[in-house]
Amino acid sequence: MKNFNVKPLGVVISGLLMAATTQSVLAQDADKKAIEEADEVIITGFRASIANSIEMKRNADTIVQAISAEDIGGLPDKSIAESLSRLPGITVTRSSGQAGTIQVRGMGEGYVFSTLNGREQVSPNGSRAMEFSQFPSELINSVEVYMSPKASLIEGGIAGTVELKTINPLKMKDDQSIQIGVRGNYNDKADELYEVEPYGKRFSLSFSKKLLDNTLGVSLGYAKLLQPNAASQIENDNYSRPALTVDGKDVYAPESFFVKQKGGEDDRDGYMATVDFEPNEHLAIEADAFYSKFKSQSDERGIRVQGFRNMNVYNTTYFDDIYMTGGTFVGRKNSQTIDFKVENNDTTTDYDIFSGGFNAKWSEDKWNIAADLSHSEASGLFRNSLSRSFLYKKGPVDSAHPDGWYRDDDQQAAFALNGINIPKFSLNRDYTNTATLRMGQYEEYPYINEDKIDAARIDGKYELDTPVIVSIEAGVRVAKRNHKQSRNVFVYGDGAGGRITTDYSLPITDANSDVVNWKGDFSNMPSFLAIDSRSIIEQAYKNNLVLMSRTKYTGPNTPEIANPDAFDANGNPKPRSIVAGARWGEGRSWSMTEQADIQEDVNSFYIQANINTTLWDRDLTGNIGFRRIDTEQSNMAFVNVNGDTSKGAVEICDDVGDCRSDLALTRIGVEYSNNLPSLNLNYHLAENDQLRLALARVLSRAPINRLANFNQGSIDANNPNGPTYNYGSNSSPTLKPFLADQIDISYEHYMPDTNGSFSIAAYHREIKSFIQDASIENFDFAANGFPIPETFPVVEGGLVVDKPVRNGTYTFSTNNAEGGYIRGLEISYTQTFNWLPGLFKGLGVSGSISKVDSKITTVSTLDPNNPDSNLPFSGLVEDSGNITIFYSYENFETRLSTTHQGSFVGEALNIARAPVIYAAETVMDFQASYKFDNGINMIFSVSNLTDEPNRSYSLSEELPRRLNWFGRTFSLGANYKF
């Protein structure tokens, strides 16, 4: 066992010691340089990056935030997401302790549009949100975030547009650049967890060169990241299920309580290639390609307790006198529904992204013409394999228990929530004994996404000799996007919808399990078994214990019948495949209906006039333009036509041979057009002062996966009021974009002598429409043309009885035209104190604060009928800020960065799509480096210096949802440039 515990203060001290130990080297250099005269001061490293970013922002023709490196490999972060988190108005959502998706100006990831080298990108995660963590910072040269649009910019981002750019080798200062980076990582949480490797690595290599008298440029890059995926986690699932009666009072209990360890590894490979050819001053040709492969494997293991509604409850505590925050839960005598279990979940994420394009530009006199062809594609496989193991005891063999194993009813649990801090949790039984713990369920759920887009655009610009309009730009763009998604499933055990009665519990042995004891702050949590679940199910298959269902699927909302294919010619039961697949039966028809083939065709054109004039003896620049978008979107959907072949009914079979003939495959969609005017003005108040104004109409399309048509009906035969028909989903191919009118105004003051700037910006977005989930209870389906059965057979008193089907809930998504507003204020300040004496002149600071407000709200699933319980708009971070204190002296640099974001509403990834609130968090990172004269730059850094957890809750911090402690990551390595 390794002992590696570096406290945050010790890290800062180590950085200062690093500075001290370099003083002898610095002093020798200083004596030599003191007698030399220099005509200019050359800044490098982090200060150079800040200076470049300020210059990009100052010269932009819209309101932007920027990140720039001196050259390829110059950004210090592991991914672009971490770099973006330090820009004003931008916050991030952490996943596995790393920055992942972003929010811009109070709006979530779904409203942020992203491009690479000016081209639209697809995502492997089934949405439109770019996985910024998949873009290595070593391969990105600069980032611009457009807070206000212009007509020539591709539409799609109400919140903003993030433009990533790779290097143009012909724009390098040097004729050749080769850079090598090597770093080792250590995560201090990993040693507390079961079988988690604490060490990781980063490696990067890039080559850029100018050839043929600087007319040909070539750049190649590769970046490797291998890092631990480690966390201690608490889950307290949502309170949205029906109420529980305790002591005569209706209260809400959590769906489950889960304490677990998460361990695994993230593996990312990124590749980049660019070729630029400029044979003369008129022609420029560029071809570029980017590829990233990201694979994450993690095991989530721990103890989950649920099923509280079927237990005796004592010693309860509450929030708001109705939401349970603790209690003692005791199993009822002879109960077979006790749901205390050891869970072992294996999650694998496999993402691939490719982007490539060809661009040609021609300039002649007053004309500039550009043509661009591009292709972007992504594939994503998310596979969740999980097992549930329960305590059993031996009992008499009967028809319901032919193996003689019964769920043990002598179990009790007690927990007491502690807000968003570590709770108390205890059990009365041992969950590490293989003699009594058996695997009762095994399930696999693969999600497959494929997304691609092909686009072509032509842009032209003509320069004018007029006093106000100096040039006119116009262009057209054609894009075709196709998104496909599918679901597969395999279930063993009594989780198979009750359809398979031969799935018995399976033995666990010492050979396929290990005892896991908690450490650190979690050392009082109960021990459990880490189980090799897949090997157990494979052995069961070899032993002919995984058998076919003895009932057969006959159609939706009808009972299954005896399956004649379940036995061979000798009457022996047949085995069923343990490979996950889509199937109509076993209560898993969603694996067939939740398939999508979405087509989105977008044609657009724009015209833009560029302004350069004077007003009151001051320069006024900017642009005014108009962009027209025509969109056609559709999805190939299953439509119930009751078997009418004249309406397209065909036989549709699943992966196990069950078929339906009542459905037709029909493409359903909508066509619409949008007009987007825009105005950007930049008034130069003085040489270093600018006042900007921007007006625009903007849009964000619905997440690509929500354009599917998953509407489906089902009968809830277990409803205590009788069989109930429910229908609907939260997706539709007729969803139109989120629209808004926005106004931005900003004042910018630049301090070129000190590489500083100050800016204050205010904005207001008037939302015209947005997508909202809705539901209607007790909906009269028959009166609205829905084909539902009048009766449904249920078991009552041991007899099958036909009961009338009740009307249930109709769920749907729609474009809410009521709208609302989002408005905010941003202040940013950057300053290098180069006027200070001696060693202090290398000190600098860069920071920003942001405030956001909105009247748009999200309905709380805890109290949907009470408007006072509504939550803020999803992704809205009302308060955020960041500050970086940096220092450089000769070849030494260090910086301490802090980012803070207030609480905000996100969307939980569960069946109920219940919103959660992410707690406020403050994350600190530290870095120190020393650059030797031979080109080697030594770097030491710490991410998440204070071990800040990522936490979420419902309504109040007293009702935690997910609590994650990721630990700190220490990194030591070197870059070499020659």
Side-chain angles (χ1 to χ4, degrees):
M1 188 63 64
K2 306 175 185 68
N3 294 313
F4 193 102
N5 185 19
V6 179
K7 300 297 183 184
L9 181 60
V11 172
V12 177
I13 293 173
S14 68
L16 298 176
L17 289 174
M18 186 175 179
T21 56
T22 61
Q23 291 308 300
S24 61
V25 178
L26 299 178
Q28 296 172 15
D29 292 341
D31 291 341
K32 183 192 302 182
K33 294 179 180 179
I35 59 175
E36 297 178 356
E37 295 291 326
D39 295 328
E40 62 175 340
V41 176
I42 300 176
I43 57 174
T44 60
F46 186 71
R47 294 180 65 186
S49 176
I50 286 180
N52 293 340
S53 300
I54 291 174
E55 194 67 14
M56 290 172 65
K57 179 177 179 177
R58 181 173 187 171
N59 295 330
D61 57 358
T62 67
I63 299 174
V64 304
Q65 302 293 344
I67 303 170
S68 177
E70 285 188 281
D71 46 24
I72 185 171
L75 296 178
D77 304 292
K78 285 183 284 189
S79 72
I80 287 300
E82 294 185 356
S83 301
L84 287 167
S85 68
R86 285 187 284 276
L87 289 179
I90 295 180
T91 55
V92 302
T93 300
R94 289 189 293 159
S95 175
S96 299
Q98 311 300 324
T101 53
I102 69 171
Q103 298 86 40
V104 177
R105 284 188 164 178
M107 300 188 73
E109 60 193 56
Y111 308 104
V112 180
F113 187 71
S114 305
T115 63
L116 177 63
N117 294 326
R119 305 178 183 116
E120 183 177 359
Q121 301 299 296
V122 294
S123 177
N125 60 17
S127 70
R128 296 186 192 271
M130 180 180 281
E131 289 281 346
F132 288 101
S133 60
Q134 200 158 344
F135 289 81
S137 62
E138 296 95 332
L139 303 183
I140 301 299
N141 188 238
S142 66
V143 185
E144 290 181 276
V145 182
Y146 291 87
M147 301 300 196
S148 63
K150 54 183 177 180
S152 59
L153 200 65
I154 301 175
E155 75 287 343
I158 279 188
T161 296
V162 179
E163 163 71 344
L164 309 182
K165 293 181 180 179
T166 55
I167 193 170
N168 181 334
L170 292 180
K171 300 296 189 291
M172 293 190 311
K173 297 178 181 179
D174 302 322
D175 291 335
Q176 176 176 296
S177 174
I178 300 176
Q179 292 202 65
I180 301 174
V182 179
R183 295 192 199 183
N185 302 324
Y186 175 83
N187 180 277
D188 67 355
K189 170 62 70 173
D191 277 337
E192 296 181 7
L193 307 176
Y194 172 74
E195 283 194 346
V196 180
E197 172 58 50
Y199 296 99
K201 61 184 178 183
R202 288 174 65 185
F203 173 77
S204 62
L205 174 65
S206 65
F207 169 81
S208 300
K209 187 172 180 62
K210 298 177 183 178
L211 302 165
L212 304 179
D213 295 327
N214 295 338
T215 62
L216 178 66
V218 177
S219 184
L220 302 172
Y222 168 73
K224 173 77 172 182
L225 172 66
L226 191 67
Q227 65 181 7
N229 187 338
S232 298
Q233 299 179 318
I234 302 290
E235 286 188 10
N236 186 55
D237 274 353
N238 62 67
Y239 291 76
S240 61
R241 293 297 180 92
L244 169 70
T245 300
V246 179
D247 298 330
K249 179 176 65 174
D250 289 339
V251 300
Y252 284 82
E255 177 69 15
S256 71
F257 178 84
F258 190 13
V259 55
K260 61 181 178 177
Q261 297 186 6
K262 180 179 181 181
E265 190 173 67
D266 294 338
D267 189 354
R268 184 191 65 201
D269 292 280
Y271 304 84
M272 181 276 299
T274 301
V275 177
D276 287 278
F277 182 51
E278 297 181 11
N280 52 54
E281 62 181 3
H282 303 293
L283 179 64
I285 298 173
E286 180 178 90
D288 60 83
F290 175 89
Y291 174 74
S292 176
K293 183 175 183 60
F294 176 82
K295 186 170 185 178
S296 176
Q297 186 280 327
S298 63
D299 293 297
E300 297 182 358
R301 304 180 174 100
I303 297 180
R304 184 194 295 270
V305 294
Q306 65 183 109
F308 303 136
R309 293 167 184 82
N310 301 317
M311 307 193 75
N312 297 320
V313 184
Y314 308 96
N315 306 320
T316 52
T317 57
Y318 300 96
F319 164 74
D320 203 20
D321 201 37
I322 188 172
Y323 301 109
M324 190 178 296
T325 60
T328 302
F329 305 89
V330 181
R332 294 171 182 168
K333 188 68 174 176
N334 298 321
S335 172
Q336 289 295 288
T337 60
I338 293 180
D339 211 0
F340 294 180
K341 53 210 170 190
V342 173
E343 287 197 6
N344 284 260
N345 303 340
D346 178 10
T347 302
T348 300
T349 301
D350 200 342
Y351 286 166
D352 288 85
I353 295 177
F354 173 82
S355 176
F358 175 84
N359 183 277
K361 298 178 181 178
W362 176 264
S363 60
E364 183 74 34
D365 296 329
K366 297 182 178 182
W367 281 100
N368 291 275
I369 305 294
D372 189 272
L373 299 173
S374 64
H375 173 79
S376 175
E377 66 178 82
S379 64
L381 170 62
F382 175 82
R383 178 187 294 273
N384 183 25
S385 303
L386 62 96
S387 72
R388 303 180 181 97
S389 302
F390 307 87
L391 288 184
Y392 288 83
K393 64 181 181 180
K394 270 296 186 177
V397 174
D398 56 28
S399 59
H401 305 89
D403 60 353
W405 284 104
Y406 290 70
R407 289 274 189 95
D408 196 332
D409 57 357
D410 180 20
Q411 297 182 66
Q412 68 179 50
F415 71 83
L417 302 179
N418 186 25
I420 56 174
N421 301 304
I422 299 174
K424 295 180 180 179
F425 177 46
S426 63
L427 299 164
N428 73 324
R429 297 291 299 277
D430 179 9
Y431 289 80
T432 66
N433 187 351
T434 57
T436 55
L437 190 74
R438 297 171 62 86
M439 192 174 84
Q441 298 170 10
Y442 177 83
E443 305 174 13
E444 289 188 11
Y445 298 98
Y447 301 70
I448 302 100
N449 293 298
E450 295 179 359
D451 209 345
K452 65 179 180 180
I453 184 170
D454 292 295
R457 63 181 294 176
I458 298 177
D459 301 88
K461 179 179 179 182
Y462 183 74
E463 297 179 0
L464 302 173
D465 296 322
T466 59
V468 178
I469 306 299
V470 295
S471 63
I472 296 290
E473 294 183 45
V476 296
R477 178 177 180 266
V478 177
K480 295 184 178 297
R481 182 171 186 171
N482 180 257
H483 173 81
K484 294 180 180 178
Q485 63 187 63
S486 58
R487 300 283 304 276
N488 289 329
V489 60
F490 168 76
V491 174
Y492 176 92
D494 51 10
R499 269 67 170 185
I500 301 177
T501 58
T502 56
D503 285 355
Y504 307 123
S505 62
L506 300 173
I508 301 169
T509 67
D510 293 340
N512 54 38
S513 65
D514 283 325
V515 176
V516 178
N517 298 309
W518 290 88
K519 301 177 183 178
D521 293 336
F522 286 74
S523 59
N524 291 325
M525 295 295 173
S527 302
F528 60 91
L529 282 185
I531 300 167
D532 187 353
S533 311
R534 183 65 188 180
S535 70
I536 294 176
I537 200 69
E538 289 175 350
Q539 186 61 47
Y541 179 78
K542 293 177 182 178
N543 294 340
N544 204 32
L545 297 177
V546 186
L547 304 179
M548 290 187 65
S549 173
R550 296 186 181 183
T551 60
K552 184 176 180 64
Y553 177 82
T554 59
N557 307 318
T558 59
E560 297 189 358
I561 62 174
N563 180 14
D565 299 323
F567 302 91
D568 62 20
N570 298 319
N572 298 314
K574 291 181 182 178
R576 73 179 188 271
S577 172
I578 60 174
V579 177
R583 58 199 73 207
W584 289 117
E586 301 176 22
R588 312 290 169 177
S589 61
W590 50 261
S591 63
M592 288 292 294
T593 58
E594 292 188 13
Q595 298 184 40
D597 184 353
I598 299 167
Q599 187 67 36
E600 182 181 76
D601 298 339
V602 180
N603 299 324
S604 59
F605 73 86
Y606 74 92
I607 184 168
Q608 176 178 300
N610 297 315
I611 301 168
N612 192 341
T613 186
T614 57
L615 179 66
W616 298 311
D617 296 324
R618 300 293 182 186
D619 290 340
L620 177 66
T621 59
N623 54 71
I624 183 171
F626 170 84
R627 190 174 186 91
R628 163 81 177 196
I629 303 102
D630 297 311
T631 303
E632 180 179 352
Q633 65 190 35
S634 63
N635 176 54
M636 186 64 74
F638 292 118
V639 178
N640 193 334
V641 295
N642 294 317
D644 190 339
T645 56
S646 66
K647 296 181 180 179
V650 294
E651 187 176 62
I652 302 172
C653 299
D654 64 14
D655 292 340
V656 297
D658 285 338
C659 302
R660 285 180 63 171
S661 56
D662 58 333
L663 301 177
L665 283 171
T666 305
R667 187 161 284 281
I668 300 174
V670 68
E671 298 181 23
Y672 57 87
S673 299
N674 298 101
N675 300 316
L676 306 179
S678 61
L679 171 68
N680 291 278
L681 296 176
N682 184 8
Y683 188 57
H684 299 253
L685 299 170
E687 181 180 1
N688 295 313
D689 295 86
Q690 300 178 168
L691 181 65
R692 294 182 185 265
L693 173 68
L695 305 171
R697 170 161 287 189
V698 290
L699 66 77
S700 285
R701 295 184 175 87
I704 192 71
N705 56 347
R706 295 194 68 179
L707 298 182
N709 186 39
F710 293 159
N711 287 334
Q712 53 185 302
S714 63
I715 291 178
D716 178 8
N718 298 318
N719 191 299
N721 297 316
T724 304
Y725 185 80
N726 301 298
Y727 184 92
S729 75
N730 49 29
S731 61
S732 170
T734 62
L735 289 176
K736 294 182 180 179
F738 190 122
L739 289 172
D741 292 333
Q742 70 178 43
I743 178 171
D744 296 76
I745 186 168
S746 72
Y747 166 73
E748 301 167 2
H749 173 67
Y750 295 94
M751 297 164 275
D753 292 338
T754 58
N755 294 313
S757 69
F758 169 81
S759 67
I760 181 169
Y763 59 89
H764 180 95
R765 294 189 180 96
E766 195 67 31
I767 308 302
K768 298 301 181 183
S769 70
F770 61 95
I771 298 168
Q772 186 175 51
D773 296 334
S775 61
I776 302 175
E777 296 181 356
N778 196 28
F779 184 78
D780 192 340
F781 291 100
N784 287 277
F786 287 79
I788 67 172
E790 294 182 0
T791 62
F792 190 80
V794 297
V795 178
E796 198 172 80
L799 300 175
V800 178
V801 181
D802 287 334
K803 303 285 288 187
V805 175
R806 301 173 61 255
N807 286 322
T809 302
Y810 176 43
T811 304
F812 59 96
S813 292
T814 184
N815 288 94
N816 187 320
E818 294 184 5
Y821 68 79
I822 297 176
R823 61 192 179 196
L825 179 71
E826 297 168 354
I827 301 174
S828 61
Y829 173 70
T830 299
Q831 183 72 73
T832 56
F833 303 105
N834 56 6
W835 67 84
L836 294 176
L839 293 174
F840 297 101
K841 68 186 306 181
L843 189 65
V845 63
S846 179
S848 69
I849 57 173
S850 301
K851 298 281 292 184
V852 184
D853 181 38
S854 175
K855 76 171 186 178
I856 303 175
T857 58
T858 299
V859 175
S860 169
T861 55
L862 296 187
D863 197 0
N865 298 317
N866 181 8
D868 293 335
S869 296
N870 286 358
L871 301 171
F873 182 68
S874 178
L876 187 82
V877 183
E878 296 182 352
D879 302 284
S880 63
N882 64 76
I883 184 169
T884 298
I885 300 172
F886 55 94
Y887 175 76
S888 63
Y889 183 79
E890 299 291 346
N891 293 350
F892 173 76
E893 273 195 347
T894 188
R895 60 187 173 92
L896 181 66
S897 299
T898 303
T899 60
H900 170 80
Q901 62 184 42
S903 60
F904 69 96
V905 174
E907 187 175 89
L909 300 178
N910 58 21
I911 296 175
R913 292 180 67 88
V916 300
I917 304 171
Y918 286 91
E921 63 180 36
T922 301
V923 180
M924 299 178 66
D925 300 324
F926 171 78
Q927 178 171 304
S929 65
Y930 181 78
K931 188 172 185 178
F932 295 92
D933 293 338
N934 59 6
I936 295 177
N937 187 23
M938 295 293 299
I939 302 172
F940 171 72
S941 65
V942 185
S943 299
N944 196 17
L945 187 63
T946 58
D947 191 13
E948 180 76 355
N950 177 253
R951 300 175 283 194
S952 62
Y953 55 90
S954 301
L955 286 184
S956 164
E957 291 186 358
E958 296 300 313
L959 301 175
R961 287 292 300 276
R962 285 171 174 80
L963 312 177
N964 303 278
W965 284 264
F966 304 112
R968 291 171 285 262
T969 299
F970 302 84
S971 177
L972 178 64
N975 293 334
Y976 180 46
K977 178 180 178 181
F978 58 97

